Amino acid sequence: MPTDDADPLIGAVQRLRDEVSATEFPLELVETAGAAKNRAHLLDQFDDYVLPRLRSMDAPLLAVIGGSTGAGKSTLVNSIVGAEVSRSGVLRPTTTSPVLVHHPQDVDWFRDTRILPSLARVTGAGEQAQPGTVRLVEARALPAGIALLDAPDIDSVVHANRALATQLLLAADLWLFVTTAARYADAVPWDLLREASDRGTAVAIVLDRVDPEAIAEVRPHLQEMLREQGLATSPVFTVPESRLDAGGRLPAEAVDRLRSWLEALAGDARARAVVVQQTLRGALASLDGRTEELADASRVQAAAAARLAAVADETHSSAEAAIQQGMSDGTLLRGEVLARWQDFVGTGDFFRQVESTVSRWRDRMTNAVKGASPEQEHLGEALQTGVAALVQANLESAASATVRAWRGLPGGDKVLTEHPELAHADDLTARVERIVRDWQSDLLDLIRRESGSRRTNARIAAYGINGIGLCLMLITFWHTGGLIGGEVAIAGGTAALAQKVLEAIFGDQAVRDMAKKGRELLAERVGALVEEQQAAFAAAVGAHAGADRSEALLAALHTVREVER
Amino acid sequence: MSPIRAGRARVVGVSAETLLARSEALVEAVDLGGAQLPADGAEEARRVTTKVRERLAITGGHSIVALAGATGSGKSSLFNVLVGSDVAQTGVRRPTTSTTTAASWGSEPVGALLDWLAVGQRHEVPGSAEPGPLDGLVLLDMPDFDSREVGNRAEAERALRLVDVFIWVTDPQKYADARLHDDYVKALAAHDAVTLVVLNQVDRLTPEQTEQCVADLTRLLRADGLEQARVLPVSARTGQGVDVLRERLANAVAGRNAARTRLAADVHTAAVALRRAFGPQSPTVGAADRRALQDALAQAAGVPVVVETVRKDFAHRAVAHTGLPWTRWLRRLRPSPLRRLRLDGESAAEAEIAQAVSRSSIPAATPTARAAVDLASRRIADKLSAGLPVPWVEAIHDAASPSAGEVSDAVDQAVVGTPLQDRRPLWWPLLGALQTLLALVSLLGLLWLVVLAVMGWLQLPEIETPRVGWFPVPLLMLAGGLLVGAVLALLSRWFAAIGARRRAGAADRRLRTAIDEVAVARIIQPVQDVLDRRARALAALERSID
């Protein structure tokens, strides 16, 4: 059955199909709302029609009978094959799952998933129709080489029907479009007819249920409308409103013309090939505009995603900058930290005036630092809370600034509704505290690594490693860059003392290196956290799924055109 | 029961005053809700209010009934049957009708109403000089809403916004169309009371089929939200069911309240749609939130540091006043801890200047403190806006976050402006004087002893020294003065510690009260204002819904 898979056209179309499938529209944008639908239709058409038809040009012609609810599609099919193959009735919508009628000889073409791979096959009449199935019915009255598919309606309240009917119509070699005297000016069917005309699908119109006296007026009007739509060459078959026989079928003469036209088509391989070629060419030709629409939409999506991501990037960068600023300008060393520090070293103003030499300071320090005094704990807490609050507040304001900006940007609102966790990261507090704790142990590691010699070790032991860690923390936050006037004295005074202590133990170069390293480590941890937060925003806009695939799409389309020529 | 379905009973609908009050309440809710309401919903509410004002201003008790439906369902045929002559054009060519035609019954002038409806084609049903059951009826034949002619649909929708009673005309072919159910019946389901559904062309069906179709259509209408949906099978061709339809129309007209019923439903729909923009519950600022905010602000303002300083200050000054006179001068060399923070307020003028010109030198407005204030106000905003729709959440967050520097400054000023030093306690001068006395006594004893010793060295005649038991009085004076002084000094340190703790506690309370005022003024009140505005808007909206 599969003819020539090496046919370069099949390969090229397959590649285009894969590109279309890979193009996603994760953002809900006004401009690309149509494109998402277009993509689904395009994929259906590739899978249900273009690829199977290219692979087997000699498969039977599939005529899909589509139209409004109540137009008499099922009655028409039953009347053509002369048997009740599809249920008809007065309740709307009557048909909810499609019925494929074919000659027994053609069964192999339809039993497998060559076409309509998404629908399961059901045979036998007695079964209750299941959603997602297509019922295969054999009918000897139908000539071999043509198959009729009775599709559900396109316009009833059952919306699933409309989607299914659209998919089935896309799989058709030929549309048998059924409308009625009351319906022929309805908007919904004409939307579909316009699409068919744009796609170059072969269409035949059945004007059903016409009062005999109205034919003279209605038929020319319909033909005029068809001409306006560019479907002037489509044959129009008129079926008068008639009393149904006992089997619920139209009298034979009512459908005679239609049946003989179908039989002629089935019997004449060349005529059939013409119809098939027309629809296939039309489908291939329609790829241009539709692929370009997808490419444009992909570009728009990518731009919108990039805009959203850029906002998140910007807010988080400035948050990181603000955190760095807050940590290095010495402001962390004021306030409570300063007060705790003074408690810690236990100085009063009197002694500040009397004692001045560093050596005496150091004696006091030794006493203060050794052992975990409550003052030491307070100082440590004050430093930690300070850093944590600084990081958390900046991250939260970055998040809320991003959320606000997104609400005003196209596509942002929907993303936020789908990801409510972006606006409120519940575990942020815990994560911030963790990085501060981790950083502290980084500092302690740093000190242990630095304490190579036995002499240093002994000194560290004399002060207690935690006290040394606190001193190192203080120095890390002291960086005279951003301070002015008196503040230098306060913060500097605080840190200078700690620095003297450390320098006495490690030597001044080592202390400078350690402070620098400590700052880097904190910056690294904060940077990682900021990046993590930002990545959550970027992931939400589907920065990856929504990448600009327009180039790849157009390239694949170009290949199809090249091969065709 | 609705006027259109009630048998012969005359139902009293909503009065014009009530209707007007509701629609004014609706517009009040929209005004109060402001930017926090969705623009389209607010727009619709204003439109409805305008419509209510306009319609109620037009005198006369007419009821406007619209025949609406798909192309080919036989609206015009039905219209002609009801009017009694071929006023509307009918035909097989689809769509047939593209403009609205009006027919009016009764002698009451109808011009102003039709002008408001902007209907050009007017027909006065003749032979209605004497009062008839349909007097006051204005029947509209409308264009279809489902054909390719987009203009028809626009005209139909324009007129549908203004009419009082909807009669959906459908037929056995089209009764399950998505366009009819999803776009119209469902969207206008709130007008259940003034809605009637007619299944035309039943002459094409057998009686059993008619029954089936009516049952199926009724089921679909129920699903659309028309809970009391009743389908009227008619045939414009044979006249079947037309009498019943005429009777229904007479009922609708007789009540003379169809217009108000429709408008009331419009107000209700617009109000219910807006109700969603308010969210579920109406939160208020709780004591716990307030406390948390206060704590955060206190922390950010360095209150623990200040309180600790007050404690030390008290202890420091107590010792300076009541310590041993020999060592007091050492204390005097140190400035008091509060002075170091420029919070001592020793001269009121100085404090005022400090408040006006500079800030205290307690830790102020560091990024860390600002961050803490920021976090605290965000917490309270989060808590109060939980579950509310986004616009309210944003409004509350805006109200809760004035620029952080502003809050820090205000808190700082509050701390500076809070008196921290009390008047000195009575026991200080007492104990101080006692200490001086004891010091004097011991000094005197020492002098005495020195005099005695010098006299002894000079071998001057010994003066009888008074003794108490074995001990000479001067020795007792010296040793006793020193000993008692030392014990007193220890005691007063103990008192000072107790007093210091009490002072610290009092300072803490005073500071927190001051900070609470800042929290209320800068954060809680603005948030409460937003919540109040929301509550008032919601109350107005509820009034328009009742």
Side-chain angles (χ1 to χ4, degrees), chain B residues 210-535:
Chain B
T210 306
E211 212 169 281
Q212 277 181 333
C213 278
V214 167
D216 199 38
L217 177 53
T218 310
R219 177 184 64 81
L220 289 172
L221 294 171
R222 296 253 153 93
D224 291 337
L226 287 185
E227 277 159 23
Q228 311 170 35
R230 194 93 68 68
V231 176
L232 212 59
V234 304
S235 167
R237 190 184 294 180
T238 64
Q240 179 192 344
V242 171
D243 286 343
V244 185
L245 179 58
R246 219 185 279 275
E247 200 177 294
R248 292 274 194 272
L249 289 176
N251 288 340
V253 176
R256 294 172 83 88
N257 59 6
R260 294 195 297 273
T261 310
R262 148 102 219 230
L263 293 172
D266 273 341
V267 171
H268 188 267
T269 310
V272 168
L274 281 180
R275 179 69 185 80
R276 278 195 295 276
F278 283 90
Q281 85 294 31
S282 195
T284 48
V285 183
D289 311 319
R290 202 161 150 169
R291 171 113 207 128
L293 181 63
Q294 207 190 75
D295 279 348
L297 288 183
Q299 198 72 35
V303 166
V305 177
V306 174
V307 168
E308 181 62 14
T309 313
V310 166
R311 193 184 64 74
K312 281 188 197 156
D313 182 66
F314 185 87
H316 167 88
R317 286 190 301 138
V319 173
H321 282 101
T322 64
L324 289 173
W326 326 108
T327 55
R328 274 187 215 172
W329 65 275
L330 270 176
R331 285 276 161 182
R332 309 250 178 199
L333 272 182
R334 288 197 221 172
S336 97
L338 275 180
R339 167 151 285 204
R340 253 173 51 209
L341 294 176
R342 278 197 247 155
L343 287 170
D344 56 342
E346 228 150 58
S347 78
E350 198 182 313
E352 263 169 42
I353 293 167
Q355 191 168 357
V357 181
S358 71
R359 304 142 67 94
S360 66
S361 33
I362 52 159
T366 66
T368 334
R370 223 176 272 161
V373 173
D374 217 26
L375 279 179
S377 54
R378 195 168 288 140
R379 288 285 161 280
I380 201 166
D382 275 350
K383 182 137 186 278
L384 292 173
S385 61
L388 293 185
V390 171
W392 290 106
V393 173
E394 287 192 347
I396 289 172
H397 271 269
D398 281 347
S401 40
S403 73
E406 192 187 306
V407 177
S408 301
D409 278 356
V411 168
D412 203 19
Q413 295 297 339
V415 171
V416 174
T418 307
L420 293 175
Q421 278 185 336
D422 285 327
R423 55 185 177 75
R424 62 185 62 175
L426 273 178
W427 58 272
W428 284 7
L430 271 175
L431 275 180
L434 198 56
Q435 284 283 14
T436 317
L437 191 70
L438 284 169
L440 279 176
V441 166
S442 43
L443 208 63
L444 226 75
L446 181 69
L447 265 178
W448 194 338
L449 283 177
V450 168
V451 167
L452 282 180
V454 169
M455 281 173 70
W457 185 62
L458 293 176
Q459 301 201 327
L460 290 175
E462 194 173 316
I463 304 165
E464 187 60 30
T465 341
R467 283 168 186 271
V468 177
W470 285 90
F471 302 101
V473 170
L475 190 64
L476 273 181
M477 282 167 68
L478 175 62
L482 286 177
L483 203 68
V484 176
V487 169
L488 264 185
L490 277 177
L491 262 178
S492 58
R493 264 178 191 256
W494 187 53
F495 285 147
I498 295 175
R501 269 204 301 281
R502 270 192 19 226
R503 299 294 149 119
D508 189 44
R509 279 191 296 280
R510 274 201 297 276
L511 284 169
R512 279 176 190 276
T513 314
I515 283 173
D516 190 44
E517 275 166 26
V518 174
V520 168
R522 305 279 168 153
I523 295 172
I524 293 178
Q525 196 52 48
V527 170
Q528 192 62 54
D529 286 347
V530 175
L531 291 176
D532 286 349
R533 184 163 62 83
R534 176 181 171 279

Side-chain angles (χ1 to χ4, degrees), chain A residues 11-193:
Chain A
V13 171
Q14 180 71 45
R15 218 189 97 210
L16 180 56
R17 183 231 172 263
D18 293 342
E19 286 298 340
V20 169
S21 161
T23 307
E24 284 176 33
F25 303 108
L27 295 179
E28 197 167 88
L29 300 180
V30 185
E31 305 95 299
T32 60
K37 214 159 131 198
N38 176 9
R39 171 179 174 272
H41 283 182
L42 210 47
L43 283 179
D44 278 347
Q45 203 185 1
F46 276 126
D47 293 343
D48 293 341
Y49 183 69
V50 178
L51 285 168
R53 187 41 93 186
L54 277 174
R55 290 203 179 105
S56 45
M57 292 300 288
D58 49 351
L61 185 142
L62 182 67
V64 174
I65 300 180
S68 305
T69 176
K73 296 180 292 298
S74 299
T75 309
L76 194 67
V77 172
N78 291 345
S79 306
I80 291 171
V81 300
E84 165 128 22
V85 289
S86 184
R87 204 167 61 87
S88 60
V90 293
L91 296 188
R92 313 266 159 260
T94 324
T95 308
T96 52
S97 73
V99 178
L100 200 157
V101 192
H102 59 86
H103 190 268
Q105 212 175 301
D106 290 335
V107 67
D108 287 342
W109 289 106
F110 299 110
R111 213 163 30 192
D112 60 9
T113 53
R114 184 184 63 93
I115 58 160
L116 301 173
S118 58
L119 297 178
R121 305 314 196 241
V122 179
T123 49
E127 278 176 72
Q128 193 68 6
Q130 296 290 321
T133 62
V134 55
R135 195 151 60 84
L136 299 184
V137 178
E138 295 186 355
R140 293 199 170 273
L142 200 68
I146 193 164
L148 296 182
L149 181 60
D150 183 19
D153 67 86
I154 52 169
D155 54 5
S156 84
V157 283
V158 183
H159 292 278
N161 279 5
R162 183 184 302 202
L164 181 55
T166 313
Q167 189 192 347
L168 294 175
L169 286 170
L170 287 174
D173 290 308
L174 170 69
W175 280 26
L176 268 181
F177 208 84
V178 185
T179 186
T180 68
R183 289 246 184 226
Y184 73 90
D186 280 11
V188 178
W190 276 99
D191 289 344
L192 282 175
L193 278 175

Side-chain angles (χ1 to χ4, degrees), chain A residues 416-456:
Chain A
L416 290 173
T417 326
E418 280 170 10
H419 300 269
E421 76 281 0
L422 289 178
H424 296 283
D426 290 335
D427 58 339
L428 188 60
T429 317
R431 273 156 63 202
V432 169
E433 277 169 6
R434 202 181 57 230
I435 65 153
V436 175
R437 272 201 311 276
D438 288 351
W439 175 63
Q440 265 183 308
S441 58
D442 283 352
L443 287 186
L444 294 185
D445 285 349
L446 202 60
I447 292 169
R448 286 199 195 93
R449 225 174 310 136
E450 209 50 50
S451 58
S453 74
R454 186 184 291 175
R455 208 170 123 254
T456 350

Side-chain angles (χ1 to χ4, degrees), chain B residues 78-148:
Chain B
L78 202 58
F79 181 82
N80 287 344
V81 168
L82 289 168
V83 171
S85 63
D86 284 352
V87 176
Q89 189 201 343
T90 58
V92 290
R93 203 182 154 99
R94 305 274 143 251
T96 322
T97 308
S98 59
T99 53
T100 308
T101 307
S104 56
W105 278 259
S107 50
E108 224 175 331
V110 77
L113 188 62
L114 291 179
D115 287 345
W116 180 66
L117 281 170
V119 173
Q121 300 194 36
R122 304 172 184 187
H123 173 76
E124 279 181 31
V125 177
S128 51
E130 66 269 21
L134 291 180
D135 278 6
L137 171 66
V138 175
L139 190 66
L140 300 185
D141 177 33
M142 311 234 295
D144 67 89
F145 51 57
D146 69 340
S147 79
R148 300 204 311 156

Side-chain angles (χ1 to χ4, degrees), chain A residues 497-515:
Chain A
L497 180 56
Q499 186 153 7
K500 291 287 177 212
V501 174
L502 291 186
E503 278 173 6
I505 301 174
F506 300 105
D508 53 353
Q509 183 54 44
V511 171
R512 265 200 298 283
D513 289 349
M514 278 162 74

